[in-house]
Amino acid sequence: MTTVSSTSTSTAASTGYSALSSSSSGTGIDYSALIEAKVNARLSKADRIDTKITANEAKITAYTDLQDKLQAVNDALDGLRNRSTSTGASSNLFGQRTAYVGDDDVFSATVDDDTEVGTYSVVVQQLATKHKIAADSASSKTDALGYSGSFTLQAADGSAVTISMESDDSLTDLRDAINANKSTSGVTASIVQVSDSSYQLILTSNNTGEAISLTDGGDGVLSSLGLTDSDGAIKNEMVAVQDAIVEVDGVTITRSSNTIDDAIEGVTLNLYSASPDTAISMEVSTDLSAIKSAISSFVDAYNEYRDFVVTQQSTTSDGTASSDATLFSDSLLRQIVRSVNSALNTSITTDDGTVLSMASLGITFNSSNELELDEDTLNSILSTDIDSVKQLLGLNMTSSSSQMSLLRYTSSASALSFSLDIVRGDDGTLTSASVNGDSSLFTVSGNRIIGASGTAYEGIVLVYSGNSGSVDIDFSQGLADKLFGVIDDASATYDSDLATAIDDLETRDTDLESKSNDIKTKAETYRTTLTAYYAKLEAAAEQAALLLKQLTYSDSSSSDS
């Protein structure tokens, strides 16, 4: 009897939670269900927190998608803002130049940014050539030539090197010895197989316009090879050395290279063939194709952003937010949409009174409020009035002095007009720059005039090389520059509205996740405590039941006896 009782108590204590189900419970009470209900009551708070975390994560994903789409719009706009690197842009498409050449089989041209536009007449009279000479033919390139001695060689732009020969050297050995020094001498050697039993050593200058010179060391090696005649002159000249000759607007230019980068400032000519009787027109102008491509990319990127906004505003048939509308009725999204729409409606008035807007570029809204581009309209204004396009889209500064230039502009002001009264001292340095007699609005440093912090001119840095006097300055901010600023404030990777909102949500989720985990940990501890408690109750109940059974059995035995 005692052994049975001990076994029963041990089982109840060791099986714990698993032994508390109604089917195995001695009392018939479903302790597992009771424990689960109590634990779940505590976990329900964690579930509510997890639901908030999931909603926040969905919002973070939506904000990140919006951020990416807005940044794609700004990527397209960046080069259209008429800003240099120093004024906040990665490129300025209005400063990019290209050359349109009438016959690009004769020559092509590359143009530096901000080169003066203009049209030139170019005649390629002669190409520069590499000097090429040959030795007499030899019957083998690997047999010993039988010549011993030395000679020096060099091209005009190289340094003289001495080549020594032994009688057992072959044509191949000679070629290799010359090429081991080609970077110094400026001369490269090769072997041409003329026929099955005829090989020629060819010497070529590394660069065009550079003549090869040879000097024998006194053993007659050069004449034995057939590189020079008995008088020491070049014997077999295959290609005579000559300079390139180009005529630009009637001015004849001679250069040793077929790449000429110093004839027209900012323009590099790449000569391909001579056409001495043909004047070819070359127009240096703004790269209109790059501007057109950027405008087209902007339209596409904006429509991607617009599609995202529409999705976030979509509803089901009963008027509730659709499952994809994570940012439905989101105040930040509404704010961004309003700001973007306002910037898109920017218009400017030119000096002649013409009002320019997005429609002037052929960009209009369709019935879905997406942008559509009319290429014919865009092509027309790009080809006929690029200055108006620049004024409509970009940041523009006009000054009454050609000696005033803009170095930096990070001001948030969309338009500024003011007169600077500039004083230059007797020693030639700038001493002050004032507006309406107030010299505290700008500071001077060398030739720089710097907008003072906390004023409307903060973020402006001008460079002035003129004399004392008054200079009128006007800034206007076009559509692309204004829209870029609005979008950058909303979507920049750091310190923007979206970046701040995402950071706040992530911080909130971190805190919520910590709270949820704490609740779950405490709930599991509670589960363990309850399990142990009910296991003890079950063990006691089983022990009591066993004792009752023993007593009943004892009473029954006594009656029988």
Side-chain angles (χ1 to χ4, degrees), residues 56 83 98 186 224 230 303 360 362 369 388 394 411 442 489 511:
N56 286 344
R83 287 177 180 256
T98 190
S224 298
S230 57
N303 288 340
S360 304
N369 277 330
S388 289
S411 172
F442 286 90
D489 288 342
D511 293 340

Side-chain angles (χ1 to χ4, degrees), residues 360-381:
S360 304
L361 303 176
I363 302 174
T364 55
F365 287 104
N366 62 19
S367 58
S368 300
N369 277 330
E370 292 183 332
L371 296 181
E372 288 186 343
L373 176 62
D374 184 328
E375 288 197 22
D376 290 339
T377 301
L378 179 60
N379 290 341
S380 176
I381 194 170

Side-chain angles (χ1 to χ4, degrees), residues 437-466:
D438 188 349
S439 60
S440 68
L441 301 175
F442 286 90
T443 60
V444 295
S445 176
N447 282 339
R448 295 186 180 189
I449 302 173
I450 305 164
S453 177
T455 70
Y457 310 101
E458 180 179 0
I460 298 174
V461 180
L462 303 166
V463 177
Y464 183 63
S465 57

Side-chain angles (χ1 to χ4, degrees), residues 82 84 86-87 114 395-410 418 420 422 424 430 433 442-443 445-451 459-467 471-475:
N82 192 34
S84 63
S86 63
T87 54
D114 298 318
L395 173 71
N396 297 280
M397 186 192 85
T398 57
S399 169
S400 59
S401 171
S402 61
Q403 294 171 307
M404 179 73 74
S405 60
L406 178 65
L407 178 62
R408 188 172 297 114
Y409 188 94
T410 57
F418 55 94
L420 269 179
I422 302 169
R424 190 178 290 278
L430 291 180
F442 286 90
T443 60
S445 176
N447 282 339
R448 295 186 180 189
I449 302 173
I450 305 164
I460 298 174
V461 180
L462 303 166
V463 177
Y464 183 63
S465 57
N467 298 320
V471 179
D472 296 329
I473 297 173
D474 180 81
F475 287 103

Side-chain angles (χ1 to χ4, degrees), residues 24 71 128-129 152 163 167 172 267 276 317 327 378 387 396 415 440 449 468 472 476 492 496:
S24 59
Q71 287 179 357
T129 58
T152 62
I163 306 298
S167 59
T172 299
V267 179
S317 57
L327 300 179
L378 179 60
D387 288 339
N396 297 280
S440 68
I449 302 173
S468 298
D472 296 329
S476 64
S496 68

